[in-house]
Amino acid sequence: MGTVTLGVSIAVPEPYGSQLQQLRAGFGDAAAHGIPTHVTLVPPTEAEAERLPEIRAHLAEVAAAFRPFPMRLAGTGSFRPLSPVVFVKVVEGAAGCTRLQSRLRDPGGPVSRELAFPYHPHVTVAHGISEEAMDLAFAELADYAADWVCDGFALYEQGSDGVWRKLCEYPFGAGPAGVPAQLGSPVDEPAARRS
């Protein structure tokens, strides 16, 4: 079956998600339209495709144990010079994101993953573009603000075209996963078939 590249994240809801995606594209970030606007919980991770059922069961179990929590974005930050990234800051909900990602990446679980840098929840708005464009993103979004109630997360797969596509959503407090979507439905169709 081979390997797949998976990621787990909290989607930034509308209208904020599209707004930030359009702004990211406007700053010249070519990856903007292939990456839904999100807060990363598990970064891109290679996994054996045959382990997907086990991974999905783990994600459902973690989600079932969580309750919704408030999220608020405000202002900008940057990981420069360590990493060429400008982001919108998570000023409320960071503790919830940190607990959640820790449980998702549990060393005994199916998506155990070491991180290259300490976990820092954020919403990327510019990555790997010119310094001038990153400076512009940092300045233009300095007063940006958005808030919502985070009530779950989603599993994504990166296709061969580099685009991230949602495989399944995991609402908080839902208990064991119900009947999954049928193979071939918009959320469960393997990325290779959609490309």
Side-chain angles (χ1 to χ4, degrees), residues 126-151:
H127 180 221
I129 57 178
S130 73
E131 287 295 320
E132 295 78 13
M134 284 196 283
D135 289 343
L136 179 63
F138 189 90
E140 280 201 15
L141 290 169
D143 295 326
Y144 187 83
D147 60 89
W148 72 94
V149 173
C150 175
D151 57 6

mmCIF file with all atom_site columns, all heavy atoms in Angstrom, residues 126-151:
data_model
loop_
_atom_site.group_PDB
_atom_site.id
_atom_site.type_symbol
_atom_site.label_atom_id
_atom_site.label_alt_id
_atom_site.label_comp_id
_atom_site.label_asym_id
_atom_site.label_entity_id
_atom_site.label_seq_id
_atom_site.pdbx_PDB_ins_code
_atom_site.Cartn_x
_atom_site.Cartn_y
_atom_site.Cartn_z
_atom_site.occupancy
_atom_site.B_iso_or_equiv
_atom_site.pdbx_formal_charge
_atom_site.auth_seq_id
_atom_site.auth_comp_id
_atom_site.auth_asym_id
_atom_site.auth_atom_id
_atom_site.pdbx_PDB_model_num
ATOM 1   N N   . ALA A 1 126 ? 2.952   33.547 6.055  1.00 0.00 ? 126 ALA A N   1
ATOM 2   C CA  . ALA A 1 126 ? 4.022   33.713 5.062  1.00 0.00 ? 126 ALA A CA  1
ATOM 3   C C   . ALA A 1 126 ? 5.119   32.717 5.402  1.00 0.00 ? 126 ALA A C   1
ATOM 4   O O   . ALA A 1 126 ? 5.514   32.604 6.569  1.00 0.00 ? 126 ALA A O   1
ATOM 5   C CB  . ALA A 1 126 ? 4.575   35.142 5.086  1.00 0.00 ? 126 ALA A CB  1
ATOM 6   N N   . HIS A 1 127 ? 5.597   32.006 4.381  1.00 0.00 ? 127 HIS A N   1
ATOM 7   C CA  . HIS A 1 127 ? 6.639   31.011 4.611  1.00 0.00 ? 127 HIS A CA  1
ATOM 8   C C   . HIS A 1 127 ? 7.564   30.932 3.393  1.00 0.00 ? 127 HIS A C   1
ATOM 9   O O   . HIS A 1 127 ? 7.099   30.718 2.272  1.00 0.00 ? 127 HIS A O   1
ATOM 10  C CB  . HIS A 1 127 ? 6.004   29.636 4.870  1.00 0.00 ? 127 HIS A CB  1
ATOM 11  C CG  . HIS A 1 127 ? 7.017   28.562 5.111  1.00 0.00 ? 127 HIS A CG  1
ATOM 12  N ND1 . HIS A 1 127 ? 6.903   27.314 4.585  1.00 0.00 ? 127 HIS A ND1 1
ATOM 13  C CD2 . HIS A 1 127 ? 8.167   28.556 5.825  1.00 0.00 ? 127 HIS A CD2 1
ATOM 14  C CE1 . HIS A 1 127 ? 7.940   26.573 4.952  1.00 0.00 ? 127 HIS A CE1 1
ATOM 15  N NE2 . HIS A 1 127 ? 8.719   27.321 5.711  1.00 0.00 ? 127 HIS A NE2 1
ATOM 16  N N   . GLY A 1 128 ? 8.831   31.147 3.629  1.00 0.00 ? 128 GLY A N   1
ATOM 17  C CA  . GLY A 1 128 ? 9.821   30.964 2.578  1.00 0.00 ? 128 GLY A CA  1
ATOM 18  C C   . GLY A 1 128 ? 9.752   31.957 1.433  1.00 0.00 ? 128 GLY A C   1
ATOM 19  O O   . GLY A 1 128 ? 10.182  31.649 0.321  1.00 0.00 ? 128 GLY A O   1
ATOM 20  N N   . ILE A 1 129 ? 9.210   33.138 1.679  1.00 0.00 ? 129 ILE A N   1
ATOM 21  C CA  . ILE A 1 129 ? 9.160   34.163 0.637  1.00 0.00 ? 129 ILE A CA  1
ATOM 22  C C   . ILE A 1 129 ? 10.225  35.213 0.945  1.00 0.00 ? 129 ILE A C   1
ATOM 23  O O   . ILE A 1 129 ? 10.975  35.077 1.912  1.00 0.00 ? 129 ILE A O   1
ATOM 24  C CB  . ILE A 1 129 ? 7.742   34.772 0.524  1.00 0.00 ? 129 ILE A CB  1
ATOM 25  C CG1 . ILE A 1 129 ? 7.286   35.369 1.868  1.00 0.00 ? 129 ILE A CG1 1
ATOM 26  C CG2 . ILE A 1 129 ? 6.745   33.707 0.064  1.00 0.00 ? 129 ILE A CG2 1
ATOM 27  C CD1 . ILE A 1 129 ? 5.905   36.040 1.819  1.00 0.00 ? 129 ILE A CD1 1
ATOM 28  N N   . SER A 1 130 ? 10.300  36.257 0.135  1.00 0.00 ? 130 SER A N   1
ATOM 29  C CA  . SER A 1 130 ? 11.342  37.263 0.329  1.00 0.00 ? 130 SER A CA  1
ATOM 30  C C   . SER A 1 130 ? 11.204  37.945 1.694  1.00 0.00 ? 130 SER A C   1
ATOM 31  O O   . SER A 1 130 ? 10.104  38.026 2.260  1.00 0.00 ? 130 SER A O   1
ATOM 32  C CB  . SER A 1 130 ? 11.270  38.322 -0.772 1.00 0.00 ? 130 SER A CB  1
ATOM 33  O OG  . SER A 1 130 ? 10.143  39.161 -0.573 1.00 0.00 ? 130 SER A OG  1
ATOM 34  N N   . GLU A 1 131 ? 12.324  38.438 2.199  1.00 0.00 ? 131 GLU A N   1
ATOM 35  C CA  . GLU A 1 131 ? 12.306  39.147 3.483  1.00 0.00 ? 131 GLU A CA  1
ATOM 36  C C   . GLU A 1 131 ? 11.364  40.351 3.428  1.00 0.00 ? 131 GLU A C   1
ATOM 37  O O   . GLU A 1 131 ? 10.651  40.635 4.391  1.00 0.00 ? 131 GLU A O   1
ATOM 38  C CB  . GLU A 1 131 ? 13.724  39.612 3.858  1.00 0.00 ? 131 GLU A CB  1
ATOM 39  C CG  . GLU A 1 131 ? 14.636  38.482 4.292  1.00 0.00 ? 131 GLU A CG  1
ATOM 40  C CD  . GLU A 1 131 ? 14.186  37.815 5.589  1.00 0.00 ? 131 GLU A CD  1
ATOM 41  O OE1 . GLU A 1 131 ? 13.734  38.523 6.517  1.00 0.00 ? 131 GLU A OE1 1
ATOM 42  O OE2 . GLU A 1 131 ? 14.285  36.581 5.673  1.00 0.00 ? 131 GLU A OE2 1
ATOM 43  N N   . GLU A 1 132 ? 11.353  41.049 2.290  1.00 0.00 ? 132 GLU A N   1
ATOM 44  C CA  . GLU A 1 132 ? 10.493  42.225 2.148  1.00 0.00 ? 132 GLU A CA  1
ATOM 45  C C   . GLU A 1 132 ? 9.024   41.828 2.256  1.00 0.00 ? 132 GLU A C   1
ATOM 46  O O   . GLU A 1 132 ? 8.224   42.503 2.916  1.00 0.00 ? 132 GLU A O   1
ATOM 47  C CB  . GLU A 1 132 ? 10.748  42.930 0.806  1.00 0.00 ? 132 GLU A CB  1
ATOM 48  C CG  . GLU A 1 132 ? 12.123  43.527 0.665  1.00 0.00 ? 132 GLU A CG  1
ATOM 49  C CD  . GLU A 1 132 ? 13.224  42.503 0.329  1.00 0.00 ? 132 GLU A CD  1
ATOM 50  O OE1 . GLU A 1 132 ? 12.891  41.346 -0.035 1.00 0.00 ? 132 GLU A OE1 1
ATOM 51  O OE2 . GLU A 1 132 ? 14.406  42.866 0.456  1.00 0.00 ? 132 GLU A OE2 1
ATOM 52  N N   . ALA A 1 133 ? 8.656   40.708 1.594  1.00 0.00 ? 133 ALA A N   1
ATOM 53  C CA  . ALA A 1 133 ? 7.270   40.246 1.635  1.00 0.00 ? 133 ALA A CA  1
ATOM 54  C C   . ALA A 1 133 ? 6.902   39.767 3.036  1.00 0.00 ? 133 ALA A C   1
ATOM 55  O O   . ALA A 1 133 ? 5.780   39.992 3.505  1.00 0.00 ? 133 ALA A O   1
ATOM 56  C CB  . ALA A 1 133 ? 7.053   39.138 0.607  1.00 0.00 ? 133 ALA A CB  1
ATOM 57  N N   . MET A 1 134 ? 7.849   39.131 3.727  1.00 0.00 ? 134 MET A N   1
ATOM 58  C CA  . MET A 1 134 ? 7.569   38.711 5.099  1.00 0.00 ? 134 MET A CA  1
ATOM 59  C C   . MET A 1 134 ? 7.413   39.916 6.020  1.00 0.00 ? 134 MET A C   1
ATOM 60  O O   . MET A 1 134 ? 6.553   39.922 6.904  1.00 0.00 ? 134 MET A O   1
ATOM 61  C CB  . MET A 1 134 ? 8.639   37.735 5.599  1.00 0.00 ? 134 MET A CB  1
ATOM 62  C CG  . MET A 1 134 ? 8.450   36.360 4.994  1.00 0.00 ? 134 MET A CG  1
ATOM 63  S SD  . MET A 1 134 ? 9.347   35.051 5.847  1.00 0.00 ? 134 MET A SD  1
ATOM 64  C CE  . MET A 1 134 ? 10.983  35.352 5.241  1.00 0.00 ? 134 MET A CE  1
ATOM 65  N N   . ASP A 1 135 ? 8.227   40.945 5.802  1.00 0.00 ? 135 ASP A N   1
ATOM 66  C CA  . ASP A 1 135 ? 8.082   42.180 6.581  1.00 0.00 ? 135 ASP A CA  1
ATOM 67  C C   . ASP A 1 135 ? 6.701   42.799 6.348  1.00 0.00 ? 135 ASP A C   1
ATOM 68  O O   . ASP A 1 135 ? 6.060   43.286 7.291  1.00 0.00 ? 135 ASP A O   1
ATOM 69  C CB  . ASP A 1 135 ? 9.160   43.194 6.197  1.00 0.00 ? 135 ASP A CB  1
ATOM 70  C CG  . ASP A 1 135 ? 10.548  42.797 6.674  1.00 0.00 ? 135 ASP A CG  1
ATOM 71  O OD1 . ASP A 1 135 ? 10.651  41.922 7.563  1.00 0.00 ? 135 ASP A OD1 1
ATOM 72  O OD2 . ASP A 1 135 ? 11.532  43.351 6.150  1.00 0.00 ? 135 ASP A OD2 1
ATOM 73  N N   . LEU A 1 136 ? 6.243   42.757 5.093  1.00 0.00 ? 136 LEU A N   1
ATOM 74  C CA  . LEU A 1 136 ? 4.926   43.298 4.744  1.00 0.00 ? 136 LEU A CA  1
ATOM 75  C C   . LEU A 1 136 ? 3.826   42.513 5.454  1.00 0.00 ? 136 LEU A C   1
ATOM 76  O O   . LEU A 1 136 ? 2.910   43.105 6.036  1.00 0.00 ? 136 LEU A O   1
ATOM 77  C CB  . LEU A 1 136 ? 4.723   43.255 3.223  1.00 0.00 ? 136 LEU A CB  1
ATOM 78  C CG  . LEU A 1 136 ? 3.382   43.770 2.716  1.00 0.00 ? 136 LEU A CG  1
ATOM 79  C CD1 . LEU A 1 136 ? 3.208   45.249 3.037  1.00 0.00 ? 136 LEU A CD1 1
ATOM 80  C CD2 . LEU A 1 136 ? 3.264   43.524 1.209  1.00 0.00 ? 136 LEU A CD2 1
ATOM 81  N N   . ALA A 1 137 ? 3.906   41.182 5.425  1.00 0.00 ? 137 ALA A N   1
ATOM 82  C CA  . ALA A 1 137 ? 2.915   40.336 6.101  1.00 0.00 ? 137 ALA A CA  1
ATOM 83  C C   . ALA A 1 137 ? 2.890   40.650 7.595  1.00 0.00 ? 137 ALA A C   1
ATOM 84  O O   . ALA A 1 137 ? 1.819   40.784 8.200  1.00 0.00 ? 137 ALA A O   1
ATOM 85  C CB  . ALA A 1 137 ? 3.231   38.864 5.865  1.00 0.00 ? 137 ALA A CB  1
ATOM 86  N N   . PHE A 1 138 ? 4.072   40.763 8.183  1.00 0.00 ? 138 PHE A N   1
ATOM 87  C CA  . PHE A 1 138 ? 4.187   41.054 9.613  1.00 0.00 ? 138 PHE A CA  1
ATOM 88  C C   . PHE A 1 138 ? 3.503   42.375 9.952  1.00 0.00 ? 138 PHE A C   1
ATOM 89  O O   . PHE A 1 138 ? 2.752   42.473 10.936 1.00 0.00 ? 138 PHE A O   1
ATOM 90  C CB  . PHE A 1 138 ? 5.663   41.092 10.007 1.00 0.00 ? 138 PHE A CB  1
ATOM 91  C CG  . PHE A 1 138 ? 5.904   41.167 11.483 1.00 0.00 ? 138 PHE A CG  1
ATOM 92  C CD1 . PHE A 1 138 ? 6.042   40.009 12.233 1.00 0.00 ? 138 PHE A CD1 1
ATOM 93  C CD2 . PHE A 1 138 ? 5.992   42.391 12.133 1.00 0.00 ? 138 PHE A CD2 1
ATOM 94  C CE1 . PHE A 1 138 ? 6.268   40.068 13.611 1.00 0.00 ? 138 PHE A CE1 1
ATOM 95  C CE2 . PHE A 1 138 ? 6.207   42.459 13.500 1.00 0.00 ? 138 PHE A CE2 1
ATOM 96  C CZ  . PHE A 1 138 ? 6.344   41.285 14.237 1.00 0.00 ? 138 PHE A CZ  1
ATOM 97  N N   . ALA A 1 139 ? 3.722   43.406 9.122  1.00 0.00 ? 139 ALA A N   1
ATOM 98  C CA  . ALA A 1 139 ? 3.163   44.737 9.384  1.00 0.00 ? 139 ALA A CA  1
ATOM 99  C C   . ALA A 1 139 ? 1.664   44.786 9.086  1.00 0.00 ? 139 ALA A C   1
ATOM 100 O O   . ALA A 1 139 ? 0.881   45.327 9.875  1.00 0.00 ? 139 ALA A O   1
ATOM 101 C CB  . ALA A 1 139 ? 3.901   45.778 8.552  1.00 0.00 ? 139 ALA A CB  1
ATOM 102 N N   . GLU A 1 140 ? 1.254   44.219 7.959  1.00 0.00 ? 140 GLU A N   1
ATOM 103 C CA  . GLU A 1 140 ? -0.148  44.331 7.542  1.00 0.00 ? 140 GLU A CA  1
ATOM 104 C C   . GLU A 1 140 ? -1.101  43.598 8.473  1.00 0.00 ? 140 GLU A C   1
ATOM 105 O O   . GLU A 1 140 ? -2.261  43.989 8.601  1.00 0.00 ? 140 GLU A O   1
ATOM 106 C CB  . GLU A 1 140 ? -0.331  43.824 6.107  1.00 0.00 ? 140 GLU A CB  1
ATOM 107 C CG  . GLU A 1 140 ? 0.065   44.840 5.080  1.00 0.00 ? 140 GLU A CG  1
ATOM 108 C CD  . GLU A 1 140 ? -0.555  44.571 3.717  1.00 0.00 ? 140 GLU A CD  1
ATOM 109 O OE1 . GLU A 1 140 ? -1.518  43.774 3.611  1.00 0.00 ? 140 GLU A OE1 1
ATOM 110 O OE2 . GLU A 1 140 ? -0.065  45.170 2.755  1.00 0.00 ? 140 GLU A OE2 1
ATOM 111 N N   . LEU A 1 141 ? -0.638  42.530 9.096  1.00 0.00 ? 141 LEU A N   1
ATOM 112 C CA  . LEU A 1 141 ? -1.517  41.745 9.964  1.00 0.00 ? 141 LEU A CA  1
ATOM 113 C C   . LEU A 1 141 ? -1.286  42.020 11.453 1.00 0.00 ? 141 LEU A C   1
ATOM 114 O O   . LEU A 1 141 ? -1.826  41.314 12.305 1.00 0.00 ? 141 LEU A O   1
ATOM 115 C CB  . LEU A 1 141 ? -1.352  40.259 9.661  1.00 0.00 ? 141 LEU A CB  1
ATOM 116 C CG  . LEU A 1 141 ? -1.910  39.848 8.295  1.00 0.00 ? 141 LEU A CG  1
ATOM 117 C CD1 . LEU A 1 141 ? -1.489  38.440 7.937  1.00 0.00 ? 141 LEU A CD1 1
ATOM 118 C CD2 . LEU A 1 141 ? -3.414  39.982 8.267  1.00 0.00 ? 141 LEU A CD2 1
ATOM 119 N N   . ALA A 1 142 ? -0.530  43.067 11.754 1.00 0.00 ? 142 ALA A N   1
ATOM 120 C CA  . ALA A 1 142 ? -0.218  43.394 13.154 1.00 0.00 ? 142 ALA A CA  1
ATOM 121 C C   . ALA A 1 142 ? -1.471  43.639 13.984 1.00 0.00 ? 142 ALA A C   1
ATOM 122 O O   . ALA A 1 142 ? -1.492  43.365 15.187 1.00 0.00 ? 142 ALA A O   1
ATOM 123 C CB  . ALA A 1 142 ? 0.711   44.602 13.217 1.00 0.00 ? 142 ALA A CB  1
ATOM 124 N N   . ASP A 1 143 ? -2.532  44.128 13.354 1.00 0.00 ? 143 ASP A N   1
ATOM 125 C CA  . ASP A 1 143 ? -3.778  44.410 14.078 1.00 0.00 ? 143 ASP A CA  1
ATOM 126 C C   . ASP A 1 143 ? -4.844  43.353 13.822 1.00 0.00 ? 143 ASP A C   1
ATOM 127 O O   . ASP A 1 143 ? -6.012  43.534 14.195 1.00 0.00 ? 143 ASP A O   1
ATOM 128 C CB  . ASP A 1 143 ? -4.327  45.785 13.681 1.00 0.00 ? 143 ASP A CB  1
ATOM 129 C CG  . ASP A 1 143 ? -3.402  46.912 14.111 1.00 0.00 ? 143 ASP A CG  1
ATOM 130 O OD1 . ASP A 1 143 ? -2.759  46.772 15.173 1.00 0.00 ? 143 ASP A OD1 1
ATOM 131 O OD2 . ASP A 1 143 ? -3.314  47.919 13.379 1.00 0.00 ? 143 ASP A OD2 1
ATOM 132 N N   . TYR A 1 144 ? -4.483  42.251 13.191 1.00 0.00 ? 144 TYR A N   1
ATOM 133 C CA  . TYR A 1 144 ? -5.460  41.220 12.857 1.00 0.00 ? 144 TYR A CA  1
ATOM 134 C C   . TYR A 1 144 ? -6.000  40.581 14.141 1.00 0.00 ? 144 TYR A C   1
ATOM 135 O O   . TYR A 1 144 ? -5.266  40.366 15.110 1.00 0.00 ? 144 TYR A O   1
ATOM 136 C CB  . TYR A 1 144 ? -4.827  40.128 11.989 1.00 0.00 ? 144 TYR A CB  1
ATOM 137 C CG  . TYR A 1 144 ? -5.849  39.132 11.494 1.00 0.00 ? 144 TYR A CG  1
ATOM 138 C CD1 . TYR A 1 144 ? -6.624  39.396 10.370 1.00 0.00 ? 144 TYR A CD1 1
ATOM 139 C CD2 . TYR A 1 144 ? -6.078  37.943 12.180 1.00 0.00 ? 144 TYR A CD2 1
ATOM 140 C CE1 . TYR A 1 144 ? -7.582  38.509 9.937  1.00 0.00 ? 144 TYR A CE1 1
ATOM 141 C CE2 . TYR A 1 144 ? -7.042  37.043 11.759 1.00 0.00 ? 144 TYR A CE2 1
ATOM 142 C CZ  . TYR A 1 144 ? -7.787  37.327 10.635 1.00 0.00 ? 144 TYR A CZ  1
ATOM 143 O OH  . TYR A 1 144 ? -8.750  36.449 10.205 1.00 0.00 ? 144 TYR A OH  1
ATOM 144 N N   . ALA A 1 145 ? -7.298  40.261 14.136 1.00 0.00 ? 145 ALA A N   1
ATOM 145 C CA  . ALA A 1 145 ? -7.908  39.586 15.278 1.00 0.00 ? 145 ALA A CA  1
ATOM 146 C C   . ALA A 1 145 ? -9.052  38.695 14.793 1.00 0.00 ? 145 ALA A C   1
ATOM 147 O O   . ALA A 1 145 ? -9.758  39.042 13.848 1.00 0.00 ? 145 ALA A O   1
ATOM 148 C CB  . ALA A 1 145 ? -8.431  40.594 16.291 1.00 0.00 ? 145 ALA A CB  1
ATOM 149 N N   . ALA A 1 146 ? -9.202  37.544 15.409 1.00 0.00 ? 146 ALA A N   1
ATOM 150 C CA  . ALA A 1 146 ? -10.297 36.620 15.113 1.00 0.00 ? 146 ALA A CA  1
ATOM 151 C C   . ALA A 1 146 ? -10.519 35.749 16.337 1.00 0.00 ? 146 ALA A C   1
ATOM 152 O O   . ALA A 1 146 ? -9.571  35.478 17.087 1.00 0.00 ? 146 ALA A O   1
ATOM 153 C CB  . ALA A 1 146 ? -9.945  35.751 13.910 1.00 0.00 ? 146 ALA A CB  1
ATOM 154 N N   . ASP A 1 147 ? -11.765 35.330 16.545 1.00 0.00 ? 147 ASP A N   1
ATOM 155 C CA  . ASP A 1 147 ? -12.006 34.402 17.648 1.00 0.00 ? 147 ASP A CA  1
ATOM 156 C C   . ASP A 1 147 ? -13.141 33.456 17.295 1.00 0.00 ? 147 ASP A C   1
ATOM 157 O O   . ASP A 1 147 ? -14.025 33.793 16.508 1.00 0.00 ? 147 ASP A O   1
ATOM 158 C CB  . ASP A 1 147 ? -12.277 35.150 18.961 1.00 0.00 ? 147 ASP A CB  1
ATOM 159 C CG  . ASP A 1 147 ? -13.477 36.059 18.888 1.00 0.00 ? 147 ASP A CG  1
ATOM 160 O OD1 . ASP A 1 147 ? -14.587 35.583 19.168 1.00 0.00 ? 147 ASP A OD1 1
ATOM 161 O OD2 . ASP A 1 147 ? -13.301 37.248 18.542 1.00 0.00 ? 147 ASP A OD2 1
ATOM 162 N N   . TRP A 1 148 ? -13.090 32.266 17.875 1.00 0.00 ? 148 TRP A N   1
ATOM 163 C CA  . TRP A 1 148 ? -14.108 31.249 17.675 1.00 0.00 ? 148 TRP A CA  1
ATOM 164 C C   . TRP A 1 148 ? -13.956 30.200 18.776 1.00 0.00 ? 148 TRP A C   1
ATOM 165 O O   . TRP A 1 148 ? -13.023 30.254 19.559 1.00 0.00 ? 148 TRP A O   1
ATOM 166 C CB  . TRP A 1 148 ? -13.977 30.614 16.286 1.00 0.00 ? 148 TRP A CB  1
ATOM 167 C CG  . TRP A 1 148 ? -12.792 29.709 16.100 1.00 0.00 ? 148 TRP A CG  1
ATOM 168 C CD1 . TRP A 1 148 ? -12.755 28.347 16.251 1.00 0.00 ? 148 TRP A CD1 1
ATOM 169 C CD2 . TRP A 1 148 ? -11.459 30.079 15.718 1.00 0.00 ? 148 TRP A CD2 1
ATOM 170 N NE1 . TRP A 1 148 ? -11.498 27.853 15.998 1.00 0.00 ? 148 TRP A NE1 1
ATOM 171 C CE2 . TRP A 1 148 ? -10.677 28.899 15.663 1.00 0.00 ? 148 TRP A CE2 1
ATOM 172 C CE3 . TRP A 1 148 ? -10.836 31.305 15.432 1.00 0.00 ? 148 TRP A CE3 1
ATOM 173 C CZ2 . TRP A 1 148 ? -9.318  28.902 15.330 1.00 0.00 ? 148 TRP A CZ2 1
ATOM 174 C CZ3 . TRP A 1 148 ? -9.496  31.299 15.091 1.00 0.00 ? 148 TRP A CZ3 1
ATOM 175 C CH2 . TRP A 1 148 ? -8.749  30.112 15.042 1.00 0.00 ? 148 TRP A CH2 1
ATOM 176 N N   . VAL A 1 149 ? -14.875 29.255 18.811 1.00 0.00 ? 149 VAL A N   1
ATOM 177 C CA  . VAL A 1 149 ? -14.776 28.140 19.744 1.00 0.00 ? 149 VAL A CA  1
ATOM 178 C C   . VAL A 1 149 ? -14.257 26.942 18.963 1.00 0.00 ? 149 VAL A C   1
ATOM 179 O O   . VAL A 1 149 ? -14.858 26.522 17.980 1.00 0.00 ? 149 VAL A O   1
ATOM 180 C CB  . VAL A 1 149 ? -16.135 27.831 20.399 1.00 0.00 ? 149 VAL A CB  1
ATOM 181 C CG1 . VAL A 1 149 ? -16.043 26.558 21.245 1.00 0.00 ? 149 VAL A CG1 1
ATOM 182 C CG2 . VAL A 1 149 ? -16.595 29.008 21.250 1.00 0.00 ? 149 VAL A CG2 1
ATOM 183 N N   . CYS A 1 150 ? -13.135 26.417 19.392 1.00 0.00 ? 150 CYS A N   1
ATOM 184 C CA  . CYS A 1 150 ? -12.561 25.227 18.761 1.00 0.00 ? 150 CYS A CA  1
ATOM 185 C C   . CYS A 1 150 ? -13.337 24.013 19.284 1.00 0.00 ? 150 CYS A C   1
ATOM 186 O O   . CYS A 1 150 ? -13.368 23.769 20.491 1.00 0.00 ? 150 CYS A O   1
ATOM 187 C CB  . CYS A 1 150 ? -11.081 25.101 19.106 1.00 0.00 ? 150 CYS A CB  1
ATOM 188 S SG  . CYS A 1 150 ? -10.346 23.581 18.466 1.00 0.00 ? 150 CYS A SG  1
ATOM 189 N N   . ASP A 1 151 ? -13.963 23.264 18.369 1.00 0.00 ? 151 ASP A N   1
ATOM 190 C CA  . ASP A 1 151 ? -14.762 22.125 18.798 1.00 0.00 ? 151 ASP A CA  1
ATOM 191 C C   . ASP A 1 151 ? -14.310 20.814 18.155 1.00 0.00 ? 151 ASP A C   1
ATOM 192 O O   . ASP A 1 151 ? -15.051 19.826 18.137 1.00 0.00 ? 151 ASP A O   1
ATOM 193 C CB  . ASP A 1 151 ? -16.242 22.376 18.538 1.00 0.00 ? 151 ASP A CB  1
ATOM 194 C CG  . ASP A 1 151 ? -16.537 22.676 17.072 1.00 0.00 ? 151 ASP A CG  1
ATOM 195 O OD1 . ASP A 1 151 ? -15.613 22.591 16.224 1.00 0.00 ? 151 ASP A OD1 1
ATOM 196 O OD2 . ASP A 1 151 ? -17.701 23.001 16.765 1.00 0.00 ? 151 ASP A OD2 1
#
